[in-house]
Amino acid sequence: GESVGLHLPTLSVQEGDNSIINCAYSNSASDYFIWYKQESGKGPQFIIDIRSNMDKRQGQRVTVLLNKTVKHLSLQIAATQPGDSAVYFCAEIYTGTASKLTFGTGTRLQVML
Amino acid sequence: SQTIHQWPATLVQPVGSPLSLECTVEGTSNPNLYWYRQAAGRGLQLLFYSVGIGQISSEVPQNLSASRPQDRQFILSSKKLLLSDSGFYLCAWSALSGRGTDTQYFGPGTRLTVL
C-alpha cells in the first residue's frame, strides 16, 4: 500500500537553533498533509497542515514545505525550545468518505540546553 | 470548542479478559470517529473508523471490535484479550465534510497492558 515515512528517526538540536524534520510520501494522489507533535504518554497534537495546491505554509514558529515533484514534506521549527522536544509525525490523507490518515513512523526531536 | 475524552487512562488486564474502552466527543455533531493503536516507539495504525451511528469500518483483521451507540460515543471492545493487544489506544475525531481533507484531533489515549 501507500506509505509515508521519515528520513531521520532522531534529531538533536541546540536550544535556539532551527530544526528541520523531513518526511517522504509515496501517494501522489494525496491532497492534504498534517504534522503532529506527540509528547510522551499523550495523544498527537495538531501543529500545522498544508493542502496539495500549496507549497508553503507558515504558523507560529513553524513552517511546512511541500515539494510534490519529489513527494517530500518538511517541518521547520524556528528558535527551537525545550518544550519542542517530542516525536513529530507527518500524515497524509486519502480523499474519501472518511479522512483516513496514513502516518509515518515519527522523528524524535531532542532539544539540548 | 470541541473536546475529546478517553477512559480509562491506563488499564492492566489479564490475557483472556474482556475489554471496553470508551471515547466521547463534545462540542461537535456528526463527527467522523477513529480508533488507532500505537505500539511503543512506532507510528499509528488505524483500527476502525465510523462516519455515523452504527456505521463501523474495520481497517485490519484483529481481535477487537468497535461500536458507535451514540453520535459522539465510540467504544473499542474485545471478548478475550491477547498479549499482542497491548499498546496505546487513541481515539480521534474529524468533521464530517465528505471532502476527505479534514484534520483529525486526538484524545489523550489509553495505555493498555495485557499480562
Side-chain angles (χ1 to χ4, degrees):
Chain A
E2 301 294 349
S3 64
V4 177
L6 295 171
H7 296 302
L8 299 173
T10 303
L11 177 65
S12 297
V13 297
Q14 288 292 137
E15 181 181 4
D17 287 351
N18 296 334
S19 302
I20 300 176
I21 301 172
N22 296 302
C23 176
Y25 66 94
S26 57
N27 185 0
S28 57
S30 292
D31 57 2
Y32 186 48
F33 304 88
I34 305 172
W35 280 100
Y36 287 94
K37 172 186 179 183
Q38 187 176 24
E39 297 175 319
S40 180
K42 298 183 179 180
Q45 177 186 4
F46 170 86
I47 302 174
I48 192 168
D49 59 0
I50 189 168
R51 299 190 185 277
S52 60
N53 61 354
M54 303 171 67
D55 54 19
K56 181 180 180 179
R57 191 169 187 211
Q58 288 183 294
Q60 187 177 13
R61 283 201 307 118
V62 295
T63 300
V64 55
L65 299 178
L66 176 62
N67 185 331
K68 294 182 289 294
T69 302
V70 295
K71 300 195 195 90
H72 184 268
L73 194 68
S74 69
L75 177 70
Q76 300 178 2
I77 304 173
T80 310
Q81 302 171 357
D84 295 327
S85 294
V87 176
Y88 290 81
F89 293 96
C90 64
E92 62 175 321
I93 290 184
Y94 293 100
T95 299
T97 303
S99 304
K100 293 196 289 182
L101 290 172
T102 299
F103 284 85
T105 54
T107 292
R108 181 173 299 281
L109 177 64
Q110 296 177 332
V111 180
M112 297 176 292
L113 303 178
Chain B
S1 63
Q2 300 85 7
T3 56
I4 179 168
H5 304 279
Q6 287 185 245
W7 65 88
T10 60
L11 189 61
V12 179
Q13 291 284 95
V15 169
S17 64
L19 173 74
S20 181
L21 302 181
E22 189 165 345
C23 170
T24 59
V25 181
E26 297 177 355
T28 187
S29 295
N30 217 15
N32 290 329
L33 296 173
Y34 311 82
W35 277 112
Y36 290 86
R37 176 169 57 204
Q38 185 176 33
R42 303 294 297 274
L44 285 76
Q45 178 188 36
L46 179 63
L47 302 176
F48 301 95
Y49 70 93
S50 172
V51 299
I53 296 174
Q55 301 180 61
I56 309 295
S57 296
S58 176
E59 287 297 294
V60 294
Q62 58 204 304
N63 184 43
L64 303 167
S65 62
S67 62
R68 185 170 177 174
Q70 300 180 42
D71 180 45
R72 289 170 289 180
Q73 183 184 33
F74 205 23
I75 296 173
L76 185 68
S77 304
S78 174
K79 293 182 179 179
K80 289 185 178 181
L81 284 168
L82 305 173
L83 287 174
S84 57
D85 291 324
S86 293
F88 192 45
Y89 288 84
L90 289 155
C91 181
W93 76 272
S94 68
L96 182 62
S97 69
R99 298 195 309 268
T101 55
D102 293 297
T103 300
Q104 290 183 23
Y105 299 94
F106 288 83
T110 294
R111 174 76 58 193
L112 172 66
T113 303
V114 182
L115 301 175

